[in-house]
Amino acid sequence: MFVKNLKTDITWAVTDEHGARLLRTDEFEEVEAPKPRRVPTKKPESEDEVEK
């Protein structure tokens, strides 16, 4: 499960048991899994020449 610390705005992956304990406080809330950031990759121009 994922919980977010509302004071620091940091999302943590925790076990269900630990998450349940954290959610009893008002500093955390359960959130959906964060989407992975996709970074486009650049192909070097020389790579095309190597394949030929």
Side-chain angles (χ1 to χ4, degrees):
M1 90 182 320
F2 291 89
V3 294
K4 180 178 179 182
N5 184 317
L6 299 174
K7 290 184 178 180
T8 62
D9 204 36
I10 297 174
T11 301
W12 299 90
V14 296
T15 63
D16 289 343
E17 183 181 341
H18 191 189
R21 250 184 280 143
L22 292 173
L23 292 174
R24 289 188 202 130
T25 69
D26 21 334
E27 293 182 25
F28 292 88
E29 71 177 5
E30 186 172 2
V31 293
E32 295 293 318
K35 303 275 187 215
R37 296 183 184 143
R38 292 184 146 203
V39 178
T41 57
K42 289 185 177 178
K43 287 187 178 180
E45 292 179 18
S46 60
E47 186 176 309
D48 293 333
E49 296 171 4
V50 172
E51 291 178 5
K52 290 182 183 178

